[in-house]
Amino acid sequence: MNIRRVAATASKEWREIVRDRLFLALTFLVPTSLMLVVGYGLSLDVEDIPLAIVDRDGTNLSREYAHRFIDSRYFDFKGYALDRHSLPPLLEDNKVRAAIIIPENFQKELLAGRPVVVQTLIDGTLPFRAQTTKGYVLAMNTAFSSEMLAMFISKKRGIPLGQAARSLRPVKLEARYLYNQSMKSDWALAPRLIMVILMMTPPFYTALGIVREKERGSIYNIYSSTVSRLEFLVGKLIPYVGISSANAVILWLIATQLFGAPFKGSLLFFIPATLLYIICTTGLGLVVSVMVRTQVAAMVVTFIVTVIPSMLYSGVIVPISSLSETAQVTAHALPAMYYTNIIVGTFMKGVGLRELWTDVLVLAIYATVLLTLGYRMFHKRPNT
């Protein structure tokens, strides 16, 4: 491989990119825009759930019970409803997502030591949100019930209320969240978006850059030149690897400075691992470019092989262990999952090569296979 010819090919490709000012601007604007739009628009935090309450008892205990939900940051209280018949229109119009119906004789039954049934209506159109809402309701109801039971024990035995409350919990569970103590979804999602965007954009750039040569007919200049296949492909890929590397730096700054995601790992490990991932995804674009002949086809194929795997089979939204067996096999066959492990490890856990060497190795194998496949499929004398 002649380095001068590689440099000349890379220089020619860079001049073409710079000459197309719109394409050059989009190569930097698209990743940044995606990071900002998706980062601010996608959140796994379930808070400020619109809530309505029907209090058919109107006593001190029923109001105290209602205020457990009204004063919670997880619920956005929209007001009291007159009766249960006024709740369906509110739920249908999405004005509320949950409703609490406190029955008559709520206080009387509780003071008599009898259980009371409180009905909860939850909008189930979004299962994840509905399950989380149910968890909030159950937790607040359990806390209220424990306090009521402690009050009864305190009165019956003549002991302090605190002692009665402790007697109800012989085993006290204390949960400690590791790596993300504040449980902020931004800290978890922003770093993972780097993986998603770097899975999508480098293949697009590479595929369009090579297919554009085919559509313009300038690829025949390469066919008739002394530049070898390897020199041409390496020269074509260098500018796009450079642009994607610059985008990776920008995305890292947005994740850490704008979204506040902590970076606990080593840049000396993260930078080479990210560069390897970029080479891997660029190789994916190379394979696509030699398979199609038009830019439209290149965009469609690249979208299918990058966007869907990066979102569904990478662990960004659904953990890999929660996927079906077939989906888990698919996830392990794609590079997104392995770079997600690197992202999570370096940002949240502060681990490095010793713990993540297998993921780096798989990315290296994946990049080698893709680049080799692209090289084998590219011919200076195209099939007719």
Side-chain angles (χ1 to χ4, degrees), residues 12 213 216-227 380:
K12 171 183 173 296
E213 297 265 9
R216 293 177 178 177
S218 57
I219 191 72
Y220 291 99
N221 296 330
I222 302 299
Y223 293 158
S224 60
S225 69
T226 57
V227 177
K380 292 191 66 175

Side-chain angles (χ1 to χ4, degrees), residues 136-158:
Y136 294 156
V137 173
L138 289 176
M140 294 180 186
N141 184 77
T142 301
F144 181 83
S145 299
S146 298
E147 291 180 12
M148 292 298 301
L149 187 56
M151 182 181 68
F152 283 118
I153 294 176
S154 175
K155 289 182 179 180
K156 185 175 181 179
R157 299 181 181 178

Side-chain angles (χ1 to χ4, degrees), residues 56-273:
R56 299 180 60 188
D57 195 39
T59 57
N60 291 334
L61 274 182
S62 67
R63 284 190 290 269
E64 181 182 344
Y65 182 81
H67 273 276
R68 297 299 178 97
F69 300 91
I70 296 173
D71 299 335
S72 172
R73 68 184 177 92
Y74 299 113
F75 293 96
D76 180 14
F77 181 60
K78 296 300 183 181
Y80 286 98
L82 296 177
D83 52 45
R84 62 185 305 160
H85 301 292
S86 61
L87 294 177
L90 298 176
L91 291 166
E92 292 169 359
D93 295 339
N94 296 323
K95 293 181 180 179
V96 299
R97 296 287 184 179
I100 305 293
I101 303 175
I102 303 175
E104 296 177 352
N105 301 321
F106 179 82
Q107 177 173 290
K108 179 181 178 180
E109 295 295 321
L110 284 180
L111 295 179
R114 292 188 290 267
V116 180
V117 178
V118 175
Q119 186 177 15
T120 304
L121 303 178
I122 300 175
D123 184 348
T125 54
L126 296 174
F128 173 77
R129 187 184 182 95
Q131 288 291 339
T132 306
T133 303
K134 178 183 176 181
Y136 294 156
V137 173
L138 289 176
M140 294 180 186
N141 184 77
T142 301
F144 181 83
S145 299
S146 298
E147 291 180 12
M148 292 298 301
L149 187 56
M151 182 181 68
F152 283 118
I153 294 176
S154 175
K155 289 182 179 180
K156 185 175 181 179
R157 299 181 181 178
I159 60 177
L161 183 61
Q163 182 179 347
R166 287 192 295 271
S167 67
L168 293 175
R169 294 180 295 174
V171 178
K172 184 179 179 181
L173 178 65
E174 291 187 0
R176 179 185 178 188
Y177 296 103
L178 302 178
Y179 314 122
N180 187 0
Q181 290 84 352
S182 57
M183 295 297 289
K184 293 183 178 179
S185 64
D186 289 347
W187 289 11
L189 288 176
R192 287 174 167 86
L193 287 178
I194 298 177
M195 179 281 302
V196 174
I197 295 171
L198 292 182
M199 181 71 181
M200 294 167 52
T201 52
F204 269 100
Y205 303 155
T206 306
L208 293 178
I210 296 179
V211 173
R212 185 171 51 200
E213 297 265 9
K214 296 181 180 180
E215 285 192 338
R216 293 177 178 177
S218 57
I219 191 72
Y220 291 99
N221 296 330
I222 302 299
Y223 293 158
S224 60
S225 69
T226 57
V227 177
S228 66
R229 289 184 298 166
L230 183 60
E231 293 166 349
F232 170 72
L233 294 176
V234 172
K236 291 287 286 188
L237 295 182
I238 287 177
Y240 299 110
V241 171
I243 291 173
S244 299
S245 299
N247 282 326
V249 174
I250 296 173
L251 297 176
W252 183 88
L253 290 173
I254 293 175
T256 55
Q257 304 303 316
L258 191 58
F259 291 103
F263 184 82
K264 303 176 182 179
S266 170
L267 286 175
L268 294 178
F269 167 72
F270 179 72
I271 291 175

Side-chain angles (χ1 to χ4, degrees), residues 24-64:
L24 177 62
L26 290 177
T27 57
F28 292 99
L29 288 177
V30 169
T32 303
S33 301
L34 285 174
M35 186 71 171
L36 295 175
V37 172
V38 180
Y40 282 113
L42 180 62
S43 176
L44 299 181
D45 295 332
V46 182
E47 297 180 356
D48 296 324
I49 304 166
L51 174 73
I53 296 177
V54 176
D55 187 358
R56 299 180 60 188
D57 195 39
T59 57
N60 291 334
L61 274 182
S62 67
R63 284 190 290 269
E64 181 182 344

Side-chain angles (χ1 to χ4, degrees), residues 2-16:
N2 190 304
I3 301 300
R4 290 186 176 181
R5 287 199 288 264
V6 172
T9 304
S11 176
K12 171 183 173 296
E13 184 66 21
W14 176 250
R15 288 196 301 270
E16 290 188 1

